[in-house]
């Protein structure tokens, strides 16, 4: 029997098979398939489940020291150009496979509950399976070009899923924005891949790194060109992993159903950029300048996300900006030359952020019973409060997530974030300061979310506030009908995944303790040994203590402001510094700049080109037509005497030929 | 005449069964027999007849490919020669190599689907199907003939049906569009005739217009440049190349869906094919001087047409401009001196033939329901037409070169081929690649905006109250399904298609590289540029097999 590694190609193929089957069914027998909800869900869950089982056995083998496996075949060729595709399984891939399949499986189960009343239930499951397939394909890609293929495919799935509720204008715009912003990143990625292929003749990660090194020493590749290519390739991860300034699509992408926000826009797809940077570590490690750029971009993103999250009133958007911020941490780790730390944070973050998002979905689901299917109301924390007593599982798991992300030991987030901050402290002390402050902000805004949502009194029936919120987005409050039900805990398909995710959120960090990191031992055994050797409590405790202290400070502030209501931050801070408050509430004005500069700018340019096309280019044509035909007589002749006119042209051709021969005949003869 | 065969061009392989002549004559004879088909005037019997004839033609071309065509050979195959008008040097010479075989298959495939797409046509059905069948034969002939005068005749033969199909079944401005089309294409095809006669009579002796004979002639560089320029205008109108494109949005804007599919699917490819066949193959010295111009024009096509498409509010014209934008990649590929890039151009033609046909078919199907093409009057129709929405989404994604579909592979091949093309200086390549890649951003902007405006959002009450928005019927799903099979097939495993023409393209590119070495071209500073001789000697490494 072939080993699990040999069968790794089945991991993306299984969900793809399920997705294609139901997709074809939806096109051919729409009504019948739409009624077969349970069989479809079962089919797709078993496909992803089988992929998960395979992934775990691969991870198990890799933990036991199985060698990496790579299989290639010729996909396209022309001239001397040969392009291989295939799959590769190595420790990094094995970790990601296990992570993605686990979360995808839990999200599928969760969706069974969350989408129960949606008429697009089957379509949703199909898209989810398609996404899982693309994401898993990305992970096992052996070269940059294959990564690009799946990179685009996950982008497409994201487009389809963000625009899932296509009757909503917001979803339509958000989906398009997500795709186009990602294409801006892909523009750089594609050019970078092409350039690296030109410079090195290779698409695979190690081949590119070695080829560029050789090219630089041999002098065939200029240093500036190599730098430029590295930075171009980095544009791809910047867009996909929502790094400043290409992060603008991610918060908007929350228009999609919440399970999607959890799976794609928090745990897996957005981490693909970080994953790619980790894959390209042999390349980036050669260029300290590029690493510094990555670290700075990561730090800016990290701070920006956290600062905007401070003022968000929309529960999902708050979490989205938190994701942006955490992705910034991961990128900072990559820039510090510590891919293991970055991937570790990716893994821990995936578990607790997926749990937080699914928790928020549970809250929104419950809120919809009261305020109706209106995202503006169901997601706004001004209408929540006091949900803890009614939704115990959701509130406890959400609380665990908050502690984990805030970096309180021994939960997962502490270990991974602390490792990144430790690396930053050694490489870029200035960036460490920013990352350190952000850790405090993270703790504050997460507990702000928690207290506003789950503690205090329930505000959901405040019709005045509802009307105010609806008016703010330009909707007519009188047209809206609240359901007027009551909030209750979600059913088991939604509650169970939350409970399952709580376990790794608490425990998984212990795999990466700096004195005995099993995680680093798997990905990079030498580094793990080195870490363990150089570990000293004297270095670890002050830094860790400082991080915990600032997190506790952030939590304390949140408790004082939102649980005990001792201080009024609105008066103290927002009142005194209205500019700062406005700056944050308007998301650093980046959306405004984007809208004014790029969206309107491109529309204006396009209209002008069209004007030129219609008036100048086509104008010349019509003018020529008028001049040659002379008058209305000519036009009439044209309309009635098609065949004659046509013959005339052929005749003119022969005449022209004679003339031509007259002119050039001499030299030929 | 085989004594003319040049070194490097293998001798034609004779056909055992006259497959290609059959594939040209069956639809034309079929067209002539249309009046004999019993019909009640509603076209219900004629359409079956036409469908069967186009399917037979398709099967003939498939049989030709399977039984008589060996993809590993670079030379002419399935060759048939009958002396026709010996005094004029006119020979009925047909044959296929890697340049023509895929396009012949594409033609018969798209035409049979167009026939199915024409199912609802009820106005003068006999004439409609007569023209459709005549066009089928004419288009296959364009790709199959091996004689430049015959080529000219076939090129013209296909113009008249298109003109009439536009002028009789078109939209409101059909007369204007049809006249513009005929003026543009007939006017420009004058250059083909001129060039054909000039090349045929060149050097004295018995005039011969066969490609093999023409290829054997040693035209002077000056003569080549003259012919090249003339042919570039003629084929540039067809492809089309900006600024010779303005007939296309009008013609496409007024055509009905099946005609539309043929225009986008096949007609534009005639331009690209002819560029490769004549400009590259027969005039290599001029090609090495004109190639940078082709590349620049290609980039202009991509960006200019993408921007125009974005601003268009009329759905048909939007897609028409998107076709122009995609053809830019063909130009870049043709202009590159690399087997990879030229292969990419070839694949882009096939891929756009399939994707363009499917998009235009969908435009027609949508128009049948909404009775408007103005995007401002549409909106939210995805709620009633879900399957149509799904088909649109898939085809739009294919058009924006989503991996897994053919458009991605062809654009990638053009990009990679040009980027690694040592015939051009590095700065030129960097600038061109950078600009062409802007198209990668612009294409999704206009295509996704289009989808958003048609299908997303709240239903437009006015539209819903006036129209009957029924979802796609099985016939429509079937047509798109047929087109998607090769689109996705090529996207997943491009060798399926590229292997069928690979050796021909490699032979062509090697000849061109050889020609480029021979021609010292001070007028083309971009080729060679500052690069000294060694750079040129390195050049064949890219395309060498």
């Amino acid at each position: 029997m072939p080993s699990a590694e040999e069968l790794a190609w089945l991991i993306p193929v299984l969900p793809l098979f399920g997705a294609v089957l139901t997709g074809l069914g939806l096109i051919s027998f729409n009504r019948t398939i739409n009624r077969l909800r349970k069989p479809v869900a079962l089919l797709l869950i078993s496909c992803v489940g089988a992929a998960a089982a395979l992934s775990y056995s691969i991870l198990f083998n890799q933990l036991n020291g199985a060698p990496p496996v790579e299989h290639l075949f010729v996909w396209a060729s022309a001239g001397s150009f040969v392009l291989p595709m295939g799959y590769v399984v190595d420790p990094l891939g094995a970790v990601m496979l296990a992570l993605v399949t686990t979360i995808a499986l839990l999200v599928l189960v969760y969706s069974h509950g969350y989408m129960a009343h949606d008429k697009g239930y089957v379509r949703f499951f199909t898209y989810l399976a398609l996404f899982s397939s693309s994401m898993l394909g990305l992970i096992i890609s052996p070269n940059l070009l294959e990564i690009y293929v799946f990179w685009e495919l996950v982008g497409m799935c994201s487009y389809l899923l963000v625009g899932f509720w296509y009757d909503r204008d917001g979803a339509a715009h958000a989906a398009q924005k997500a795709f186009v912003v990602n294409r801006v990143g892909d523009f750089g990625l594609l050019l970078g891949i092409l350039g690296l292929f030109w410079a090195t003749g290779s698409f695979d990660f190690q081949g590119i790194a070695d080829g560029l090194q050789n090219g630089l020493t041999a002098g065939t590749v200029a240093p500036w060109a190599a730098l430029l290519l590295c930075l171009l390739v980095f544009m791809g991860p910047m867009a996909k992993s929502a790094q400043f300034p290409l992060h603008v699509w991610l918060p908007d992408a929350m228009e999609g159903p919440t399970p999607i926000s959890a799976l794609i826009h928090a745990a897996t797809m957005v981490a693909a950029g970080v994953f790619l940077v980790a894959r390209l570590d042999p390349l980036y490690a050669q260029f300290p300048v590029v690493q510094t750029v990555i670290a700075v971009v990561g730090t800016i993103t990290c701070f920006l996300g956290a600062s905007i999250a401070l003022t968000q009133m929309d529960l999902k958007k708050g979490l989205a900006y938190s994701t942006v911020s955490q992705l910034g941490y991961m990128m900072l780790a990559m820039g510090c030359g510590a891919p293991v730390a970055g991937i570790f944070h990716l893994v821990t973050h995936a578990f607790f952020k997926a749990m937080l998002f699914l928790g928020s979905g549970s809250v929104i689901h419950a809120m919809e019973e009261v305020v109706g299917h209106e995202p503006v109301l169901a997601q706004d924390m001004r209408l929540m409060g006091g949900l803890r007593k009614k939704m115990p599982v959701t509130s406890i798991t959400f609380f665990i997530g908050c502690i984990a992300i805030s970096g309180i030991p021994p939960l997962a987030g502490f270990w991974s974030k602390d490792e990144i901050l430790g690396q930053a402290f050694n490489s870029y002390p200035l960036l460490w300061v920013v990352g350190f402050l952000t850790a405090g902000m993270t703790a504050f805004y997460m507990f702000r979310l928690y207290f506003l949502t789950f503690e205090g009194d329930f505000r959901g029936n405040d019709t005045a506030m509802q009307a105010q919120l609806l008016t703010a987005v330009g909707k007519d409050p009188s047209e809206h009908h609240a359901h007027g039900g009551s909030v209750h805990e979600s059913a088991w398909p939604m509650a169970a995944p939350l409970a399952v995710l709580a376990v790794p959120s608490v425990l998984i960090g212990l795999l990466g303790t700096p004195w005995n990191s099993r995680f680093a031992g798997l990905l990079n055994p030498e580094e793990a040994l080195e870490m363990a050797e150089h570990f000293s409590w004297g270095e670890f405790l002050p830094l860790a203590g400082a991080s915990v202290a600032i997190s506790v400070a952030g939590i304390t502030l949140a408790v004082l402001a939102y649980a005990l209501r001792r201080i009024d931050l609105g008066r103290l801070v927002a009142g005194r510094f209205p500019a700062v408050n406005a700056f944050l509430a308007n998301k650093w004005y980046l959306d405004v700049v984007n809208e004014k500069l790029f969206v309107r700018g491109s529309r204006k340019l396009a209209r002008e080109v069209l004007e030129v096309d219609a008036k100048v280019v086509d104008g010349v044509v019509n003018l020529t037509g008028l001049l040659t035909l002379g008058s209305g007589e000519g036009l009439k002749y044209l309309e009635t005497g098609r065949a004659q006119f046509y013959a005339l042209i052929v005749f003119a051709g022969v005449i022209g030929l004679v003339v031509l021969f007259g002119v050039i005949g001499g030299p030929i003869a | 005449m085989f004594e003319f065969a040049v070194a490097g061009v293998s001798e034609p392989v004779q056909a055992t069964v006259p497959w290609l002549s059959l594939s040209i004559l069956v639809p034309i004879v079929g067209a002539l027999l249309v009046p004999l088909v019993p019909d009640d005037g509603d076209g219900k019997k004629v359409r079956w007849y036409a469908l069967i004839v186009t399917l037979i033609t398709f099967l003939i071309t498939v049989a030709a490919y399977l039984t008589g065509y060996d993809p590993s050979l670079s030379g002419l195959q399935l060759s048939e020669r009958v002396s026709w008008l010996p005094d004029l040097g006119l020979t009925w010479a047909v044959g296929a190599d890697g340049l023509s075989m895929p396009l012949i298959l594409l033609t018969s495939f798209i035409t049979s689907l167009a026939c199915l797409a024409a199912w609802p046509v009820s106005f003068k059905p006999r004439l409609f199907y007569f023209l459709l069948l005549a066009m089928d034969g004419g288009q296959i002939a364009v790709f199959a003939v091996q004689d430049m005068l015959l080529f000219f005749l076939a090129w013209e033969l296909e113009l008249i049906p298109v003109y009439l199909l536009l002028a009789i079944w078109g939209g409101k401005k059909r007369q204007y569009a049809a006249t513009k089309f005929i003026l543009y294409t007939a006017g420009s095809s004058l250059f083909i005739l001129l060039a054909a006669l000039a090349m045929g009579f060149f050097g004295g002796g018995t005039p011969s217009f066969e490609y093999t004979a023409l290829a054997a002639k040693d035209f002077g560089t000056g003569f080549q440049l003259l012919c090249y320029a003339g042919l570039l205008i003629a084929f540039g109108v067809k492809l089309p190349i900006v600024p010779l494109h303005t007939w296309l949005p009008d013609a496409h804007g007024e055509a009905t869906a099946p005609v539309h599919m043929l225009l986008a699917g096949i007609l534009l490819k005639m331009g690209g094919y002819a560029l490769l066949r004549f400009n590259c193959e027969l005039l290599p010295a001029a090609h090495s001087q004109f190639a940078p111009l082709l590349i620049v024009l290609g980039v202009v096509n991509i960006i200019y047409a993408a921007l125009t498409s974005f601003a268009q509010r009329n759905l048909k014209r939007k897609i028409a401009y998107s076709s122009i934008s995609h053809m830019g990649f063909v130009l870049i590929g043709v202009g590159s001196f690399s087997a990879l890039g030229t292969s990419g151009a070839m694949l882009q033609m096939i891929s756009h033939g399939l994707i363009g046909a499917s998009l235009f078919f969908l435009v027609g199907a949508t128009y049948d329901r909404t009775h408007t093409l103005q995007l401002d009057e549409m909106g939210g129709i995805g709620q009633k037409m879900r399957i149509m929405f799904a088909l649109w989404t898939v085809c739009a994604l294919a058009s924006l070169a989503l991996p897994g579909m053919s458009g991605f592979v062809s654009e990638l091949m053009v990009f990679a081929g040009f980027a690694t093309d040592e015939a051009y200086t590095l700065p030129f390549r960097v600038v061109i690649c950078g600009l062409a890649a802007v198209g990668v951003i612009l294409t999704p902007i206009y295509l996704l905006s289009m989808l958003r405006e048609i299908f997303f959002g709240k239903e437009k009450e006015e539209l819903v109250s006036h129209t009957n928005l029924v979802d796609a019927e099985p016939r429509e799903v079937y047509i798109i399904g047929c087109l998607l099979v090769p689109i996705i097939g090529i996207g997943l495993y491009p060798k399926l298609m590229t292997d069928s023409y690979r050796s021909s393209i490699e032979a062509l590119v090697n000849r061109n590289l050889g020609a480029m070495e021979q021609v010292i071209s001070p007028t083309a500073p971009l080729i060679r540029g500052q690069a000294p001789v060694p750079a040129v000697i390195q050049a064949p490494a890219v395309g060498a097999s």
Side-chain angles (χ1 to χ4, degrees):
Chain A
M1 192 188 145
S3 71
E5 276 88 348
E6 301 288 326
L7 292 175
W9 57 273
L10 270 174
I11 296 176
V13 168
L14 281 171
L16 180 69
F17 166 76
V20 168
L21 205 64
T22 46
L24 286 179
L26 272 180
I27 294 274
S28 333
F29 312 102
N30 193 294
R31 289 206 183 146
T32 323
I33 298 291
N34 263 323
R35 256 184 264 124
L36 298 173
R37 292 185 166 204
K38 278 211 173 136
V40 167
L42 267 179
L43 168 76
L44 296 177
I45 288 177
S46 13
C47 283
V48 175
L54 209 50
S55 305
Y56 274 102
S57 89
I58 287 174
L59 181 64
F60 182 74
N61 288 348
Q62 292 289 322
L63 277 170
N64 289 334
V69 172
E70 183 170 325
H71 279 280
L72 299 174
F73 67 95
V74 175
W75 182 65
S77 62
S80 58
F81 170 88
V82 173
L83 178 58
M85 293 273 173
Y87 64 92
V88 63
V89 178
D90 60 352
L92 175 60
V95 169
M96 290 294 292
L97 285 178
L99 174 79
V100 171
T101 47
T102 311
I103 295 184
L105 195 59
L106 291 172
V107 166
L108 276 170
V109 173
Y110 179 92
S111 303
H112 176 62
Y114 192 84
M115 303 300 284
H117 304 296
D118 199 292
K119 56 181 195 272
Y121 177 95
V122 173
R123 185 164 58 97
F124 185 78
F125 268 72
T126 312
Y127 287 172
L128 268 185
L130 194 62
F131 167 77
S132 311
S133 166
S134 318
M135 185 68 207
L136 295 165
L138 193 152
I139 294 168
I140 59 172
S141 295
N143 60 46
L144 259 185
L145 203 63
E146 196 176 323
I147 287 235
Y148 184 84
V149 167
F150 288 108
W151 191 266
E152 288 275 298
L153 288 179
V154 290
M156 172 203 73
C157 295
S158 166
Y159 168 77
L160 293 175
L161 282 162
V162 173
F164 183 78
W165 286 314
Y166 52 81
D167 53 338
R168 296 184 185 171
D169 281 328
H173 281 102
Q176 190 184 344
K177 187 172 180 183
F179 198 91
V180 172
V181 172
N182 269 297
R183 263 291 166 107
V184 173
D186 296 346
F187 160 83
L189 181 60
L190 179 67
L191 284 180
I193 293 175
L194 289 173
L196 287 171
F197 176 66
W198 158 78
T200 66
S202 169
F203 284 117
D204 77 297
F205 310 110
Q206 197 60 46
I208 287 173
D210 297 344
L212 207 57
Q213 181 85 56
N214 296 338
L216 282 172
T217 37
T220 50
V221 182
W224 64 265
L227 272 185
L228 179 72
L229 292 178
C230 290
L231 290 176
L232 276 175
V233 169
F234 181 59
M235 275 181 77
M238 270 173 78
K240 199 63 94 199
S241 285
Q243 300 294 303
F244 171 83
L246 297 180
H247 67 278
V248 286
W249 65 272
L250 183 59
D252 289 20
M254 296 302 134
E255 287 285 347
T258 308
I260 293 313
S261 312
L263 176 64
I264 302 187
H265 302 119
T268 59
M269 184 189 82
V270 290
V274 179
F275 171 75
L276 176 58
V277 176
R279 278 280 193 225
L280 287 171
D281 186 56
L283 176 69
Y284 288 139
Q286 297 172 23
F287 300 98
V289 183
V290 178
Q291 288 201 317
T292 311
V293 171
I294 296 177
V296 170
V297 167
T299 313
I300 295 175
T301 311
C302 164
F303 181 75
L304 168 135
S307 68
I308 297 177
L310 294 177
T311 61
Q312 286 298 312
M313 273 301 169
D314 182 308
L315 178 58
K316 276 178 80 180
K317 288 236 165 120
L319 287 173
Y321 278 106
S322 153
T323 307
V324 172
S325 171
Q326 298 297 313
L327 289 167
Y329 273 118
M330 296 174 208
M331 222 37 117
L332 170 63
M334 297 296 158
C336 294
V340 174
I343 293 291
F344 187 42
H345 194 55
L346 190 164
V347 172
T348 59
H349 173 259
F351 286 115
F352 59 68
K353 187 52 72 61
M355 182 174 74
L356 285 167
F357 261 115
L358 294 183
S360 79
S362 175
V363 168
I364 292 164
H365 203 65
M367 286 297 292
E368 280 175 350
E369 294 291 321
V370 182
V371 298
H373 291 273
E374 173 55 65
V376 177
L377 302 179
Q379 301 179 10
D380 200 290
M381 291 186 292
R382 278 166 284 199
L383 293 174
M384 297 175 188
L387 297 180
R388 177 167 56 89
K389 288 162 212 138
K390 290 163 187 161
M391 310 180 70
V393 180
T394 308
S395 69
I396 290 171
T397 50
F398 202 94
F399 186 71
I400 292 173
C402 288
I403 310 178
I405 197 175
S406 302
I408 303 295
L411 274 73
F414 166 75
W415 302 103
S416 53
K417 194 193 285 183
D418 201 61
E419 203 180 320
I420 293 176
L421 286 177
Q423 296 278 0
F425 188 76
N426 294 328
S427 312
Y428 307 100
L430 198 64
L431 300 185
W432 171 79
V433 175
V434 180
F436 174 73
L437 289 176
T438 306
M441 284 153 72
T442 309
F444 170 75
Y445 71 69
M446 283 312 298
F447 276 86
R448 173 177 170 270
L449 294 183
Y450 176 77
F451 290 127
L452 283 177
T453 308
F454 293 100
E455 302 294 336
D457 299 322
F458 184 60
R459 302 177 286 273
N461 295 315
D462 184 347
T463 43
M465 178 57 90
Q466 290 187 10
Q468 194 189 330
L469 290 173
L470 283 171
T471 325
V473 291
K475 288 181 181 166
D476 187 359
S478 59
E479 280 181 13
H480 178 72
H481 303 290
H483 287 200
S486 64
V487 173
H488 54 78
E489 181 60 277
S490 305
W492 74 266
M494 289 169 72
L498 290 174
V500 173
L501 282 168
V503 178
S505 300
V506 175
L507 296 177
I508 202 160
L510 297 172
L511 292 176
T513 53
W515 55 89
N516 179 20
S517 176
R518 301 277 303 278
F519 191 81
L522 174 63
L523 292 190
N524 191 344
E526 291 156 29
E527 196 183 315
L529 272 179
E530 204 180 318
M531 266 168 67
E533 266 174 33
H534 286 89
F535 177 76
S536 77
W537 289 97
E539 266 180 44
F540 173 72
L541 281 181
L543 272 179
S547 317
V548 174
I550 195 162
S551 294
V552 171
I555 296 172
T556 315
L557 187 63
V559 170
L560 287 175
Y562 298 105
L564 304 175
R565 302 262 168 204
R566 287 287 173 77
I567 41 178
D568 185 359
L569 286 174
R571 195 169 49 81
L572 269 175
V573 184
R576 271 192 213 163
F577 308 103
V580 175
N581 193 47
F583 184 68
L584 295 181
N586 285 300
K587 307 154 198 165
W588 290 32
Y589 293 105
L590 287 170
D591 278 337
V592 182
V593 171
N594 186 33
E595 171 75 23
K596 287 213 167 124
L597 202 63
F598 296 109
V599 177
R600 287 191 208 163
S602 62
R603 282 204 190 126
K604 190 153 176 276
L605 178 68
R607 272 200 303 273
E608 276 162 10
V609 172
L610 183 65
E611 285 278 290
V612 170
D613 192 66
K615 299 224 166 109
V616 181
V617 182
D618 207 27
V620 170
V621 175
N622 286 334
L623 192 67
T624 323
L626 274 182
L627 286 180
T628 40
L629 298 173
S631 62
E633 275 304 303
L635 280 170
K636 204 172 86 190
Y637 173 66
L638 184 72
E639 302 263 306
T640 52
R642 283 170 212 134
Q644 293 95 315
F645 182 74
Y646 189 72
L648 186 72
I649 286 182
V650 178
F651 182 67
V654 180
I655 301 285
L657 180 89
V658 174
V659 175
L660 182 81
F661 272 77
V663 175
I664 61 167
I668 293 171
Chain B
M1 283 230 180
F2 294 144
E3 61 269 30
F4 283 113
V6 198
V9 180
S10 49
E11 287 206 351
V13 179
Q14 299 299 317
T16 44
V17 182
W19 288 121
L20 291 177
S21 297
L22 273 177
S23 68
I24 298 168
L25 291 177
V26 164
I28 290 179
V29 172
L32 294 174
L33 293 180
V34 162
L36 303 181
V37 179
D39 192 65
D40 311 327
D42 55 358
K44 285 195 176 145
K45 285 186 186 123
V46 187
R47 65 189 187 190
W48 277 107
Y49 168 77
L51 182 65
I52 289 166
V53 173
T54 51
L55 279 177
I56 291 174
T57 314
F58 177 56
L59 290 179
I60 291 174
T61 54
V62 171
Y65 179 74
L66 292 180
T67 61
Y69 182 79
D70 179 358
S72 62
L73 299 180
S74 66
L76 202 60
Q77 307 179 48
L78 290 162
S79 174
E80 301 162 40
R81 287 183 76 252
V82 181
S83 195
W84 196 0
L85 286 173
D87 298 334
L88 254 179
L90 189 61
T91 332
W92 174 259
V94 291
D97 60 0
L99 296 183
S100 34
M101 196 66 226
L103 293 170
I104 291 173
L105 286 171
L106 180 77
T107 305
S108 57
F109 179 62
I110 302 269
T111 310
S112 52
L113 286 178
C115 213
L116 196 56
W119 226 233
V121 168
S122 54
F123 178 66
K124 295 191 185 179
R126 278 175 201 268
L127 184 59
F128 185 88
Y129 287 107
F130 167 79
L131 294 170
L132 203 70
L133 290 174
M135 203 168 154
D136 194 11
Q139 281 168 329
I140 293 179
V142 165
F143 296 124
V145 294
Q146 296 295 325
D147 182 293
M148 204 163 169
L149 267 192
L150 271 185
F151 173 84
F152 175 74
L153 287 178
W155 184 277
E156 301 293 291
L157 173 67
E158 144 284 328
L159 283 187
I160 301 162
V162 177
Y163 172 74
L164 292 175
L165 285 170
L166 273 177
I168 300 175
W169 286 270
K172 285 179 194 128
K173 280 173 69 187
R174 56 178 181 265
Q175 283 298 340
Y176 172 76
T179 309
K180 202 167 178 179
F181 170 78
I182 202 82
L183 279 181
Y184 252 109
T185 32
S188 63
S189 57
L190 196 61
F191 290 101
I192 305 179
L193 182 64
L194 286 179
L197 293 177
M199 285 159 77
F201 283 108
F202 184 91
T206 325
S208 169
F209 299 98
E210 266 187 273
Y211 299 163
T212 42
L214 297 179
K217 287 187 185 177
D218 185 17
F219 307 118
T221 308
F223 181 83
Q224 285 205 16
L225 287 175
L226 205 63
C227 287
Y228 195 103
L231 290 176
L232 184 61
I233 293 174
F235 305 143
V237 164
K238 206 71 161 186
L239 193 64
I241 299 176
V242 174
L244 303 173
H245 65 282
T246 55
W247 66 270
L248 185 135
D250 282 314
H252 279 199
E254 301 306 321
T256 50
V259 181
H260 226 155
M261 290 170 72
L262 296 174
L263 279 177
I266 309 164
L267 228 70
L268 307 189
K269 276 78 228 171
M270 288 164 49
Y273 164 79
L275 267 185
L276 281 172
R277 173 68 76 201
F278 299 106
N279 294 30
C280 290
E281 199 163 25
L282 299 183
L283 306 166
H287 181 64
S288 59
Q289 307 220 11
F290 267 100
L293 178 70
L294 291 186
I295 304 239
V296 173
L297 286 172
V299 169
V300 171
N301 257 31
I302 292 173
I303 295 182
Y304 178 91
L307 283 172
T308 331
S309 174
F310 182 37
Q312 272 294 348
R313 305 302 299 156
N314 177 306
L315 188 54
K316 268 190 187 173
R317 296 177 76 94
K318 203 183 214 12
I319 308 279
Y321 274 105
S322 121
S323 286
I324 304 178
S325 180
H326 284 103
M327 286 295 113
F329 283 98
V330 175
L331 279 174
I332 297 182
V334 171
S336 78
F337 288 91
S338 86
L340 185 60
T342 314
S343 263
M346 191 72 198
L347 194 62
Q348 174 76 347
M349 285 200 264
I350 298 161
S351 154
H352 179 266
L354 300 164
I355 298 171
S358 54
L359 276 177
F360 278 125
F361 171 68
L362 287 174
V363 172
T366 310
Y367 177 72
D368 287 344
R369 292 161 170 85
T370 60
H371 305 296
T372 177
L373 287 170
Q374 292 302 317
L375 287 173
D376 300 319
E377 294 168 15
M378 295 192 214
I381 67 174
Q383 287 167 57
K384 289 227 168 63
M385 296 160 55
R386 292 202 216 151
I387 296 177
M388 193 62 105
F389 183 19
L391 298 178
W392 262 104
T393 308
V394 176
C395 295
L397 290 172
S399 181
L400 59 78
L402 190 80
M405 310 220 220
S406 56
F408 168 73
V409 188
S410 54
E411 288 183 17
L412 180 78
M413 284 168 81
V414 170
F415 268 120
F418 183 70
T420 52
D421 182 0
E422 300 292 337
Y424 293 97
T425 57
L426 184 58
F428 184 66
R429 274 183 282 160
V430 170
V431 171
I432 293 292
C433 276
L435 287 174
V438 172
V440 169
I441 303 177
L442 291 176
T443 319
I445 292 183
Y446 67 76
L447 282 173
L448 297 185
S449 295
M450 177 191 78
L451 283 186
R452 179 169 54 76
E453 291 183 85
I454 304 176
F455 291 101
F456 284 84
K458 297 264 177 292
E459 283 182 326
K460 279 253 166 72
E461 279 169 25
E462 214 184 300
L463 187 72
V464 177
S465 62
H466 286 116
T467 51
N468 183 19
L469 300 177
V470 286
D471 210 343
E473 54 182 279
R475 178 182 60 92
E476 291 162 337
V477 177
Y478 177 77
I479 292 176
I480 295 296
C482 285
L483 288 163
L484 282 177
V485 167
I487 292 175
I488 294 177
I490 296 172
L492 292 180
Y493 195 58
K495 276 166 75 77
L496 282 177
M497 186 47 80
T498 54
D499 274 357
S500 72
Y501 58 78
R502 182 180 164 176
S503 45
S504 293
I505 293 279
E506 278 171 14
L508 173 67
V509 170
N510 281 337
R511 270 205 300 284
N512 280 340
L513 281 168
M516 195 177 70
E517 279 179 56
Q518 284 166 11
V519 180
I520 307 296
S521 50
T523 49
L526 291 169
I527 293 190
R528 305 170 152 244
Q530 310 89 356
V533 183
V536 179
I537 293 173
Q538 285 166 11
V542 182
S545 45

